[in-house]
Amino acid sequence: MSAPAPAETSTGAGAHPAGPAPSALTEAYTRLTEVLPGLAVMELGPGEAAPTGGGRVAVEKLAAGGAELDAFLAWDDAQVLRDHGQRARPDVVATFGLHRYAWSACLLFTVPWFLLRRVPRFPVEHVTFQRMPGRIAVRVGEFACLPDDPAARSPGARVVPDEEALRAEVRSAVAEHLEPVLGAFGPRMRRRGRALWGMATDEVVEGLWYVAGLLGEKRRATDELARLLPGATRPYVGAAAFRELTGPNGECLAARDRAGCCFFYTLDPEDTCANCPRNSEEVRIAKLTAEAATEKAAETAEAVAG
């Protein structure tokens, strides 16, 4: 499931930073929403209560499991039945639910790192998620940055010596946030340890890779993610795993080897994503070629319209 996490595209969900002044992260989150209107990040000001109602859920309650997680996954169960005319297995529903949260949540960390070289810390108690429209409310506190960052003297800034130290901050911050979430979803997904962190690895990589494509920086993101996840960076599983395939006309096709499977094939075996680990190389090349043709047609149409 390498598509954006929201199952639908919301409209009018523009950037919604709150508080008395922009934070060191506001610019990154504003840019994110400009290219991905279906996801907006609301920054809570000091002492401001997290929003409630409208389907919002405090992520610490998701991580606790129980009734809040039941209600969260009921949405995925209903969506599968509505869109596919069949019920998914409970473990498949839980996998979809985790994907749709984790894909968005990972962007809270990777987008500021990619655009500004700043890495926030968001423990689960500092995040509230609203699935539709796609909105996340966060309480901004500490963030890591490099010594030459203009924000290095800002409240909450913690300076790290170099790029590799900043990459370590990304890995640590994402793991801190996802670990309790994975702990709650895991039993329902019938997955443990390595399988869960394989899925987390995919969310980190594919979320930023997708957004970077919207920003026109997919090549840079490929290089950055390869350095972020080179392999042997526990608890993550494997590397970013990008590689290039050759299309039917000799064209270069960007691909990656996913660390896990989202189980979408249980609903429609033919409509898997191009990088699904179940695909043969022949099927993968055909799907990637079709995607490239669609992207080129869209770019051509946009150029003509412009």
mmCIF file of all heavy atoms in Angstrom, residues 105-115 117-122 144-145 158 160 162-178 197 204-205 208 224-225 227-229 233 235-236:
data_model
loop_
_atom_site.group_PDB
_atom_site.id
_atom_site.type_symbol
_atom_site.label_atom_id
_atom_site.label_comp_id
_atom_site.label_asym_id
_atom_site.label_seq_id
_atom_site.Cartn_x
_atom_site.Cartn_y
_atom_site.Cartn_z
ATOM 1 N N ALA A 105 2.155 9.519 10.082
ATOM 2 C CA ALA A 105 2.943 9.854 11.269
ATOM 3 C C ALA A 105 4.428 9.958 10.951
ATOM 4 O O ALA A 105 5.126 10.829 11.486
ATOM 5 C CB ALA A 105 2.705 8.823 12.361
ATOM 6 N N CYS A 106 4.930 9.095 10.105
ATOM 7 C CA CYS A 106 6.362 9.140 9.780
ATOM 8 C C CYS A 106 6.741 10.457 9.101
ATOM 9 O O CYS A 106 7.868 10.940 9.261
ATOM 10 C CB CYS A 106 6.736 7.958 8.894
ATOM 11 S SG CYS A 106 6.759 6.371 9.764
ATOM 12 N N LEU A 107 5.799 11.050 8.382
ATOM 13 C CA LEU A 107 6.082 12.329 7.714
ATOM 14 C C LEU A 107 6.304 13.460 8.715
ATOM 15 O O LEU A 107 6.956 14.462 8.385
ATOM 16 C CB LEU A 107 4.944 12.686 6.759
ATOM 17 C CG LEU A 107 4.762 11.751 5.564
ATOM 18 C CD1 LEU A 107 3.498 12.119 4.792
ATOM 19 C CD2 LEU A 107 5.981 11.792 4.642
ATOM 20 N N LEU A 108 5.775 13.318 9.934
ATOM 21 C CA LEU A 108 6.017 14.334 10.966
ATOM 22 C C LEU A 108 7.508 14.497 11.235
ATOM 23 O O LEU A 108 7.974 15.580 11.611
ATOM 24 C CB LEU A 108 5.319 13.938 12.272
ATOM 25 C CG LEU A 108 3.798 13.919 12.285
ATOM 26 C CD1 LEU A 108 3.307 13.361 13.617
ATOM 27 C CD2 LEU A 108 3.234 15.315 12.039
ATOM 28 N N PHE A 109 8.250 13.430 11.037
ATOM 29 C CA PHE A 109 9.689 13.431 11.320
ATOM 30 C C PHE A 109 10.522 13.602 10.052
ATOM 31 O O PHE A 109 11.484 14.363 10.035
ATOM 32 C CB PHE A 109 10.076 12.109 12.002
ATOM 33 C CG PHE A 109 9.258 11.789 13.210
ATOM 34 C CD1 PHE A 109 8.104 11.018 13.111
ATOM 35 C CD2 PHE A 109 9.618 12.274 14.460
ATOM 36 C CE1 PHE A 109 7.330 10.741 14.229
ATOM 37 C CE2 PHE A 109 8.853 11.993 15.584
ATOM 38 C CZ PHE A 109 7.701 11.219 15.469
ATOM 39 N N THR A 110 10.141 12.880 8.995
ATOM 40 C CA THR A 110 10.995 12.857 7.801
ATOM 41 C C THR A 110 10.907 14.133 6.975
ATOM 42 O O THR A 110 11.901 14.541 6.366
ATOM 43 C CB THR A 110 10.665 11.647 6.916
ATOM 44 O OG1 THR A 110 9.280 11.688 6.532
ATOM 45 C CG2 THR A 110 10.950 10.343 7.645
ATOM 46 N N VAL A 111 9.751 14.777 6.939
ATOM 47 C CA VAL A 111 9.630 15.990 6.119
ATOM 48 C C VAL A 111 10.449 17.155 6.689
ATOM 49 O O VAL A 111 11.199 17.806 5.954
ATOM 50 C CB VAL A 111 8.153 16.366 5.896
ATOM 51 C CG1 VAL A 111 8.027 17.763 5.288
ATOM 52 C CG2 VAL A 111 7.487 15.345 4.975
ATOM 53 N N PRO A 112 10.362 17.458 8.007
ATOM 54 C CA PRO A 112 11.246 18.515 8.529
ATOM 55 C C PRO A 112 12.731 18.181 8.361
ATOM 56 O O PRO A 112 13.551 19.077 8.124
ATOM 57 C CB PRO A 112 10.858 18.608 10.003
ATOM 58 C CG PRO A 112 9.487 18.052 10.080
ATOM 59 C CD PRO A 112 9.432 16.983 9.036
ATOM 60 N N TRP A 113 13.075 16.917 8.518
ATOM 61 C CA TRP A 113 14.469 16.503 8.296
ATOM 62 C C TRP A 113 14.871 16.747 6.849
ATOM 63 O O TRP A 113 15.928 17.330 6.571
ATOM 64 C CB TRP A 113 14.635 15.031 8.651
ATOM 65 C CG TRP A 113 15.900 14.401 8.151
ATOM 66 C CD1 TRP A 113 17.176 14.686 8.559
ATOM 67 C CD2 TRP A 113 16.021 13.392 7.138
ATOM 68 N NE1 TRP A 113 18.086 13.909 7.859
ATOM 69 C CE2 TRP A 113 17.394 13.108 6.985
ATOM 70 C CE3 TRP A 113 15.087 12.703 6.366
ATOM 71 C CZ2 TRP A 113 17.866 12.162 6.069
ATOM 72 C CZ3 TRP A 113 15.555 11.758 5.459
ATOM 73 C CH2 TRP A 113 16.932 11.495 5.322
ATOM 74 N N PHE A 114 14.043 16.339 5.905
ATOM 75 C CA PHE A 114 14.364 16.443 4.484
ATOM 76 C C PHE A 114 14.428 17.895 4.020
ATOM 77 O O PHE A 114 15.318 18.277 3.254
ATOM 78 C CB PHE A 114 13.309 15.672 3.679
ATOM 79 C CG PHE A 114 13.574 15.609 2.203
ATOM 80 C CD1 PHE A 114 14.623 14.852 1.695
ATOM 81 C CD2 PHE A 114 12.753 16.280 1.311
ATOM 82 C CE1 PHE A 114 14.862 14.781 0.334
ATOM 83 C CE2 PHE A 114 12.972 16.221 -0.054
ATOM 84 C CZ PHE A 114 14.030 15.464 -0.544
ATOM 85 N N LEU A 115 13.489 18.712 4.480
ATOM 86 C CA LEU A 115 13.404 20.091 3.999
ATOM 87 C C LEU A 115 14.236 21.081 4.798
ATOM 88 O O LEU A 115 14.772 22.042 4.236
ATOM 89 C CB LEU A 115 11.942 20.553 3.996
ATOM 90 C CG LEU A 115 11.000 19.850 3.023
ATOM 91 C CD1 LEU A 115 9.588 20.418 3.180
ATOM 92 C CD2 LEU A 115 11.472 20.000 1.583
ATOM 93 N N ARG A 117 16.377 20.073 7.752
ATOM 94 C CA ARG A 117 17.400 19.458 8.589
ATOM 95 C C ARG A 117 17.098 19.680 10.067
ATOM 96 O O ARG A 117 17.968 19.993 10.874
ATOM 97 C CB ARG A 117 18.800 19.991 8.230
ATOM 98 C CG ARG A 117 19.351 19.415 6.934
ATOM 99 C CD ARG A 117 19.398 17.899 7.055
ATOM 100 N NE ARG A 117 20.079 17.222 5.973
ATOM 101 C CZ ARG A 117 19.481 16.593 4.965
ATOM 102 N NH1 ARG A 117 18.170 16.616 4.870
ATOM 103 N NH2 ARG A 117 20.192 15.962 4.059
ATOM 104 N N ARG A 118 15.822 19.464 10.426
ATOM 105 C CA ARG A 118 15.372 19.534 11.812
ATOM 106 C C ARG A 118 14.541 18.296 12.107
ATOM 107 O O ARG A 118 13.711 17.896 11.288
ATOM 108 C CB ARG A 118 14.546 20.810 12.048
ATOM 109 C CG ARG A 118 15.360 22.079 11.846
ATOM 110 C CD ARG A 118 14.507 23.334 11.799
ATOM 111 N NE ARG A 118 15.332 24.464 11.373
ATOM 112 C CZ ARG A 118 14.848 25.649 10.987
ATOM 113 N NH1 ARG A 118 13.539 25.862 10.998
ATOM 114 N NH2 ARG A 118 15.683 26.614 10.610
ATOM 115 N N VAL A 119 14.775 17.703 13.259
ATOM 116 C CA VAL A 119 14.111 16.443 13.602
ATOM 117 C C VAL A 119 13.396 16.599 14.936
ATOM 118 O O VAL A 119 14.035 16.714 15.992
ATOM 119 C CB VAL A 119 15.129 15.286 13.689
ATOM 120 C CG1 VAL A 119 14.399 13.982 14.021
ATOM 121 C CG2 VAL A 119 15.917 15.156 12.395
ATOM 122 N N PRO A 120 12.057 16.605 14.929
ATOM 123 C CA PRO A 120 11.304 16.763 16.181
ATOM 124 C C PRO A 120 11.187 15.458 16.948
ATOM 125 O O PRO A 120 11.431 14.366 16.430
ATOM 126 C CB PRO A 120 9.931 17.222 15.700
ATOM 127 C CG PRO A 120 9.790 16.550 14.357
ATOM 128 C CD PRO A 120 11.178 16.547 13.757
ATOM 129 N N ARG A 121 10.801 15.573 18.199
ATOM 130 C CA ARG A 121 10.450 14.437 19.045
ATOM 131 C C ARG A 121 8.964 14.545 19.362
ATOM 132 O O ARG A 121 8.510 15.548 19.894
ATOM 133 C CB ARG A 121 11.257 14.455 20.343
ATOM 134 C CG ARG A 121 12.714 14.117 20.166
ATOM 135 C CD ARG A 121 12.920 12.621 20.188
ATOM 136 N NE ARG A 121 14.307 12.264 19.915
ATOM 137 C CZ ARG A 121 14.794 11.035 20.040
ATOM 138 N NH1 ARG A 121 14.005 10.051 20.448
ATOM 139 N NH2 ARG A 121 16.048 10.777 19.759
ATOM 140 N N PHE A 122 8.218 13.502 19.034
ATOM 141 C CA PHE A 122 6.795 13.468 19.332
ATOM 142 C C PHE A 122 6.441 12.128 19.973
ATOM 143 O O PHE A 122 6.063 11.178 19.280
ATOM 144 C CB PHE A 122 5.955 13.648 18.058
ATOM 145 C CG PHE A 122 6.043 15.001 17.433
ATOM 146 C CD1 PHE A 122 6.387 15.131 16.092
ATOM 147 C CD2 PHE A 122 5.775 16.138 18.162
ATOM 148 C CE1 PHE A 122 6.461 16.374 15.497
ATOM 149 C CE2 PHE A 122 5.850 17.399 17.578
ATOM 150 C CZ PHE A 122 6.197 17.518 16.236
ATOM 151 N N ALA A 144 16.024 18.305 17.086
ATOM 152 C CA ALA A 144 17.465 18.269 16.831
ATOM 153 C C ALA A 144 17.775 19.030 15.555
ATOM 154 O O ALA A 144 16.966 19.047 14.618
ATOM 155 C CB ALA A 144 17.939 16.825 16.712
ATOM 156 N N CYS A 145 18.941 19.655 15.512
ATOM 157 C CA CYS A 145 19.352 20.387 14.317
ATOM 158 C C CYS A 145 20.873 20.421 14.252
ATOM 159 O O CYS A 145 21.568 19.993 15.179
ATOM 160 C CB CYS A 145 18.775 21.796 14.308
ATOM 161 S SG CYS A 145 19.357 22.850 15.672
ATOM 162 N N ARG A 158 18.190 21.230 20.063
ATOM 163 C CA ARG A 158 19.290 20.416 20.573
ATOM 164 C C ARG A 158 20.241 20.150 19.418
ATOM 165 O O ARG A 158 19.881 19.486 18.444
ATOM 166 C CB ARG A 158 18.760 19.101 21.152
ATOM 167 C CG ARG A 158 19.837 18.245 21.800
ATOM 168 C CD ARG A 158 19.185 17.147 22.635
ATOM 169 N NE ARG A 158 18.205 16.394 21.870
ATOM 170 C CZ ARG A 158 18.515 15.393 21.035
ATOM 171 N NH1 ARG A 158 19.781 15.062 20.845
ATOM 172 N NH2 ARG A 158 17.573 14.743 20.386
ATOM 173 N N VAL A 160 23.179 18.734 17.194
ATOM 174 C CA VAL A 160 23.963 17.508 17.001
ATOM 175 C C VAL A 160 25.085 17.828 16.027
ATOM 176 O O VAL A 160 24.991 18.761 15.235
ATOM 177 C CB VAL A 160 23.086 16.350 16.496
ATOM 178 C CG1 VAL A 160 22.014 16.004 17.517
ATOM 179 C CG2 VAL A 160 22.452 16.687 15.148
ATOM 180 N N ASP A 162 26.671 16.484 13.267
ATOM 181 C CA ASP A 162 26.805 16.314 11.815
ATOM 182 C C ASP A 162 25.588 15.587 11.245
ATOM 183 O O ASP A 162 24.652 15.247 11.956
ATOM 184 C CB ASP A 162 28.092 15.542 11.479
ATOM 185 C CG ASP A 162 28.215 14.228 12.245
ATOM 186 O OD1 ASP A 162 27.169 13.603 12.522
ATOM 187 O OD2 ASP A 162 29.347 13.831 12.583
ATOM 188 N N GLU A 163 25.635 15.372 9.928
ATOM 189 C CA GLU A 163 24.513 14.763 9.229
ATOM 190 C C GLU A 163 24.223 13.343 9.717
ATOM 191 O O GLU A 163 23.063 12.950 9.829
ATOM 192 C CB GLU A 163 24.783 14.747 7.716
ATOM 193 C CG GLU A 163 24.768 16.109 7.053
ATOM 194 C CD GLU A 163 23.357 16.612 6.780
ATOM 195 O OE1 GLU A 163 22.383 15.895 7.126
ATOM 196 O OE2 GLU A 163 23.214 17.709 6.226
ATOM 197 N N GLU A 164 25.249 12.566 9.987
ATOM 198 C CA GLU A 164 24.996 11.200 10.441
ATOM 199 C C GLU A 164 24.329 11.205 11.810
ATOM 200 O O GLU A 164 23.437 10.394 12.076
ATOM 201 C CB GLU A 164 26.287 10.386 10.491
ATOM 202 C CG GLU A 164 26.096 8.949 10.991
ATOM 203 C CD GLU A 164 24.954 8.201 10.308
ATOM 204 O OE1 GLU A 164 24.788 8.331 9.072
ATOM 205 O OE2 GLU A 164 24.225 7.475 11.009
ATOM 206 N N ALA A 165 24.727 12.116 12.669
ATOM 207 C CA ALA A 165 24.065 12.226 13.968
ATOM 208 C C ALA A 165 22.602 12.634 13.789
ATOM 209 O O ALA A 165 21.725 12.172 14.531
ATOM 210 C CB ALA A 165 24.796 13.242 14.846
ATOM 211 N N LEU A 166 22.334 13.483 12.806
ATOM 212 C CA LEU A 166 20.951 13.891 12.555
ATOM 213 C C LEU A 166 20.136 12.725 11.999
ATOM 214 O O LEU A 166 18.964 12.555 12.353
ATOM 215 C CB LEU A 166 20.932 15.074 11.585
ATOM 216 C CG LEU A 166 19.657 15.916 11.576
ATOM 217 C CD1 LEU A 166 19.438 16.579 12.935
ATOM 218 C CD2 LEU A 166 19.706 16.971 10.480
ATOM 219 N N ARG A 167 20.756 11.908 11.152
ATOM 220 C CA ARG A 167 20.054 10.716 10.668
ATOM 221 C C ARG A 167 19.723 9.770 11.823
ATOM 222 O O ARG A 167 18.647 9.170 11.861
ATOM 223 C CB ARG A 167 20.885 10.005 9.601
ATOM 224 C CG ARG A 167 20.900 10.718 8.254
ATOM 225 C CD ARG A 167 21.542 9.860 7.183
ATOM 226 N NE ARG A 167 22.987 9.826 7.295
ATOM 227 C CZ ARG A 167 23.822 10.680 6.698
ATOM 228 N NH1 ARG A 167 23.337 11.668 5.948
ATOM 229 N NH2 ARG A 167 25.130 10.566 6.834
ATOM 230 N N ALA A 168 20.650 9.652 12.759
ATOM 231 C CA ALA A 168 20.387 8.824 13.938
ATOM 232 C C ALA A 168 19.204 9.375 14.731
ATOM 233 O O ALA A 168 18.408 8.609 15.305
ATOM 234 C CB ALA A 168 21.628 8.746 14.821
ATOM 235 N N GLU A 169 19.067 10.694 14.763
ATOM 236 C CA GLU A 169 17.926 11.309 15.444
ATOM 237 C C GLU A 169 16.616 10.950 14.750
ATOM 238 O O GLU A 169 15.603 10.711 15.414
ATOM 239 C CB GLU A 169 18.094 12.830 15.479
ATOM 240 C CG GLU A 169 19.180 13.317 16.409
ATOM 241 C CD GLU A 169 18.795 13.149 17.876
ATOM 242 O OE1 GLU A 169 17.588 13.163 18.187
ATOM 243 O OE2 GLU A 169 19.713 13.008 18.706
ATOM 244 N N VAL A 170 16.607 10.927 13.421
ATOM 245 C CA VAL A 170 15.400 10.536 12.689
ATOM 246 C C VAL A 170 15.001 9.113 13.068
ATOM 247 O O VAL A 170 13.852 8.845 13.424
ATOM 248 C CB VAL A 170 15.603 10.631 11.163
ATOM 249 C CG1 VAL A 170 14.344 10.152 10.429
ATOM 250 C CG2 VAL A 170 15.941 12.043 10.730
ATOM 251 N N ARG A 171 15.967 8.209 12.996
ATOM 252 C CA ARG A 171 15.667 6.808 13.311
ATOM 253 C C ARG A 171 15.160 6.656 14.742
ATOM 254 O O ARG A 171 14.203 5.918 15.010
ATOM 255 C CB ARG A 171 16.913 5.952 13.075
ATOM 256 C CG ARG A 171 17.358 5.893 11.614
ATOM 257 C CD ARG A 171 18.458 4.874 11.398
ATOM 258 N NE ARG A 171 19.723 5.238 12.006
ATOM 259 C CZ ARG A 171 20.718 5.871 11.371
ATOM 260 N NH1 ARG A 171 20.582 6.225 10.097
ATOM 261 N NH2 ARG A 171 21.847 6.147 12.000
ATOM 262 N N SER A 172 15.795 7.360 15.673
ATOM 263 C CA SER A 172 15.415 7.257 17.073
ATOM 264 C C SER A 172 14.042 7.864 17.336
ATOM 265 O O SER A 172 13.220 7.288 18.065
ATOM 266 C CB SER A 172 16.477 7.948 17.936
ATOM 267 O OG SER A 172 16.104 7.952 19.288
ATOM 268 N N ALA A 173 13.773 9.041 16.755
ATOM 269 C CA ALA A 173 12.506 9.725 16.998
ATOM 270 C C ALA A 173 11.330 8.939 16.430
ATOM 271 O O ALA A 173 10.276 8.818 17.062
ATOM 272 C CB ALA A 173 12.544 11.130 16.401
ATOM 273 N N VAL A 174 11.490 8.402 15.223
ATOM 274 C CA VAL A 174 10.417 7.596 14.635
ATOM 275 C C VAL A 174 10.183 6.339 15.468
ATOM 276 O O VAL A 174 9.042 5.961 15.747
ATOM 277 C CB VAL A 174 10.746 7.231 13.175
ATOM 278 C CG1 VAL A 174 9.719 6.244 12.626
ATOM 279 C CG2 VAL A 174 10.781 8.482 12.298
ATOM 280 N N ALA A 175 11.263 5.687 15.877
ATOM 281 C CA ALA A 175 11.125 4.466 16.676
ATOM 282 C C ALA A 175 10.449 4.753 18.013
ATOM 283 O O ALA A 175 9.604 3.972 18.470
ATOM 284 C CB ALA A 175 12.494 3.830 16.902
ATOM 285 N N GLU A 176 10.816 5.866 18.649
ATOM 286 C CA GLU A 176 10.192 6.222 19.924
ATOM 287 C C GLU A 176 8.685 6.371 19.765
ATOM 288 O O GLU A 176 7.908 5.937 20.621
ATOM 289 C CB GLU A 176 10.784 7.536 20.436
ATOM 290 C CG GLU A 176 10.138 8.053 21.710
ATOM 291 C CD GLU A 176 10.574 9.464 22.062
ATOM 292 O OE1 GLU A 176 10.645 10.324 21.152
ATOM 293 O OE2 GLU A 176 10.837 9.710 23.248
ATOM 294 N N HIS A 177 8.265 6.987 18.662
ATOM 295 C CA HIS A 177 6.835 7.198 18.448
ATOM 296 C C HIS A 177 6.117 5.907 18.056
ATOM 297 O O HIS A 177 5.023 5.614 18.565
ATOM 298 C CB HIS A 177 6.628 8.249 17.349
ATOM 299 C CG HIS A 177 5.190 8.561 17.108
ATOM 300 N ND1 HIS A 177 4.474 9.446 17.879
ATOM 301 C CD2 HIS A 177 4.302 8.056 16.207
ATOM 302 C CE1 HIS A 177 3.224 9.495 17.459
ATOM 303 N NE2 HIS A 177 3.086 8.649 16.447
ATOM 304 N N LEU A 178 6.714 5.127 17.168
ATOM 305 C CA LEU A 178 6.019 3.964 16.631
ATOM 306 C C LEU A 178 6.023 2.748 17.553
ATOM 307 O O LEU A 178 5.114 1.918 17.470
ATOM 308 C CB LEU A 178 6.622 3.558 15.284
ATOM 309 C CG LEU A 178 6.298 4.442 14.082
ATOM 310 C CD1 LEU A 178 6.863 3.807 12.820
ATOM 311 C CD2 LEU A 178 4.796 4.663 13.930
ATOM 312 N N TRP A 197 8.491 -4.195 12.386
ATOM 313 C CA TRP A 197 9.486 -3.178 12.065
ATOM 314 C C TRP A 197 9.813 -3.157 10.574
ATOM 315 O O TRP A 197 10.243 -2.138 10.047
ATOM 316 C CB TRP A 197 10.736 -3.368 12.919
ATOM 317 C CG TRP A 197 10.492 -2.875 14.319
ATOM 318 C CD1 TRP A 197 10.289 -3.615 15.431
ATOM 319 C CD2 TRP A 197 10.379 -1.504 14.716
ATOM 320 N NE1 TRP A 197 10.049 -2.804 16.516
ATOM 321 C CE2 TRP A 197 10.103 -1.508 16.110
ATOM 322 C CE3 TRP A 197 10.482 -0.288 14.051
ATOM 323 C CZ2 TRP A 197 9.938 -0.321 16.829
ATOM 324 C CZ3 TRP A 197 10.312 0.886 14.772
ATOM 325 C CH2 TRP A 197 10.044 0.869 16.145
ATOM 326 N N VAL A 204 8.432 4.589 6.583
ATOM 327 C CA VAL A 204 9.415 5.670 6.606
ATOM 328 C C VAL A 204 9.874 5.993 5.186
ATOM 329 O O VAL A 204 9.902 7.155 4.763
ATOM 330 C CB VAL A 204 10.630 5.293 7.477
ATOM 331 C CG1 VAL A 204 11.760 6.301 7.294
ATOM 332 C CG2 VAL A 204 10.234 5.210 8.943
ATOM 333 N N VAL A 205 10.228 4.964 4.450
ATOM 334 C CA VAL A 205 10.800 5.161 3.119
ATOM 335 C C VAL A 205 9.750 5.638 2.124
ATOM 336 O O VAL A 205 9.940 6.645 1.427
ATOM 337 C CB VAL A 205 11.464 3.864 2.618
ATOM 338 C CG1 VAL A 205 11.950 4.029 1.183
ATOM 339 C CG2 VAL A 205 12.624 3.470 3.525
ATOM 340 N N LEU A 208 8.078 9.395 2.559
ATOM 341 C CA LEU A 208 8.910 10.511 2.113
ATOM 342 C C LEU A 208 9.192 10.429 0.623
ATOM 343 O O LEU A 208 9.221 11.454 -0.071
ATOM 344 C CB LEU A 208 10.234 10.544 2.894
ATOM 345 C CG LEU A 208 11.140 11.728 2.529
ATOM 346 C CD1 LEU A 208 10.452 13.059 2.808
ATOM 347 C CD2 LEU A 208 12.462 11.657 3.276
ATOM 348 N N GLU A 224 18.981 10.342 -0.010
ATOM 349 C CA GLU A 224 18.917 10.626 1.429
ATOM 350 C C GLU A 224 18.402 9.408 2.205
ATOM 351 O O GLU A 224 18.915 9.067 3.275
ATOM 352 C CB GLU A 224 18.001 11.819 1.684
ATOM 353 C CG GLU A 224 18.491 13.137 1.115
ATOM 354 C CD GLU A 224 19.451 13.848 2.029
ATOM 355 O OE1 GLU A 224 19.968 13.212 2.976
ATOM 356 O OE2 GLU A 224 19.690 15.044 1.801
ATOM 357 N N LEU A 225 17.380 8.763 1.669
ATOM 358 C CA LEU A 225 16.814 7.606 2.360
ATOM 359 C C LEU A 225 17.770 6.419 2.352
ATOM 360 O O LEU A 225 17.804 5.644 3.314
ATOM 361 C CB LEU A 225 15.482 7.215 1.707
ATOM 362 C CG LEU A 225 14.317 8.161 2.030
ATOM 363 C CD1 LEU A 225 13.163 7.958 1.049
ATOM 364 C CD2 LEU A 225 13.833 7.959 3.464
ATOM 365 N N ARG A 227 20.902 6.677 2.670
ATOM 366 C CA ARG A 227 21.839 6.952 3.772
ATOM 367 C C ARG A 227 21.155 6.829 5.129
ATOM 368 O O ARG A 227 21.788 6.440 6.113
ATOM 369 C CB ARG A 227 22.445 8.348 3.606
ATOM 370 C CG ARG A 227 23.479 8.440 2.481
ATOM 371 C CD ARG A 227 24.207 9.772 2.500
ATOM 372 N NE ARG A 227 23.374 10.836 1.997
ATOM 373 C CZ ARG A 227 23.353 11.242 0.716
ATOM 374 N NH1 ARG A 227 24.118 10.622 -0.183
ATOM 375 N NH2 ARG A 227 22.575 12.236 0.331
ATOM 376 N N LEU A 228 19.874 7.165 5.179
ATOM 377 C CA LEU A 228 19.136 7.063 6.442
ATOM 378 C C LEU A 228 18.994 5.608 6.882
ATOM 379 O O LEU A 228 19.147 5.287 8.066
ATOM 380 C CB LEU A 228 17.745 7.690 6.287
ATOM 381 C CG LEU A 228 16.825 7.609 7.512
ATOM 382 C CD1 LEU A 228 17.352 8.495 8.637
ATOM 383 C CD2 LEU A 228 15.397 8.013 7.135
ATOM 384 N N LEU A 229 18.687 4.748 5.920
ATOM 385 C CA LEU A 229 18.470 3.328 6.219
ATOM 386 C C LEU A 229 19.372 2.478 5.332
ATOM 387 O O LEU A 229 18.918 1.873 4.350
ATOM 388 C CB LEU A 229 16.995 2.969 6.013
ATOM 389 C CG LEU A 229 16.013 3.632 6.986
ATOM 390 C CD1 LEU A 229 14.574 3.418 6.530
ATOM 391 C CD2 LEU A 229 16.210 3.102 8.398
ATOM 392 N N THR A 233 20.348 -1.063 10.867
ATOM 393 C CA THR A 233 19.980 0.059 11.747
ATOM 394 C C THR A 233 18.751 -0.371 12.547
ATOM 395 O O THR A 233 17.633 0.011 12.240
ATOM 396 C CB THR A 233 19.678 1.339 10.941
ATOM 397 O OG1 THR A 233 18.750 1.009 9.886
ATOM 398 C CG2 THR A 233 20.929 1.922 10.341
ATOM 399 N N PRO A 235 15.878 -0.692 15.291
ATOM 400 C CA PRO A 235 15.027 -1.867 15.053
ATOM 401 C C PRO A 235 14.530 -2.027 13.630
ATOM 402 O O PRO A 235 13.754 -2.939 13.353
ATOM 403 C CB PRO A 235 13.850 -1.611 15.996
ATOM 404 C CG PRO A 235 13.705 -0.125 15.981
ATOM 405 C CD PRO A 235 15.120 0.401 15.952
ATOM 406 N N TYR A 236 14.920 -1.123 12.727
ATOM 407 C CA TYR A 236 14.432 -1.191 11.353
ATOM 408 C C TYR A 236 14.976 -2.438 10.663
ATOM 409 O O TYR A 236 16.043 -2.950 11.007
ATOM 410 C CB TYR A 236 14.820 0.086 10.600
ATOM 411 C CG TYR A 236 14.269 1.309 11.298
ATOM 412 C CD1 TYR A 236 15.067 2.049 12.166
ATOM 413 C CD2 TYR A 236 12.949 1.692 11.129
ATOM 414 C CE1 TYR A 236 14.558 3.146 12.845
ATOM 415 C CE2 TYR A 236 12.430 2.788 11.799
ATOM 416 C CZ TYR A 236 13.237 3.508 12.663
ATOM 417 O OH TYR A 236 12.733 4.584 13.342
#
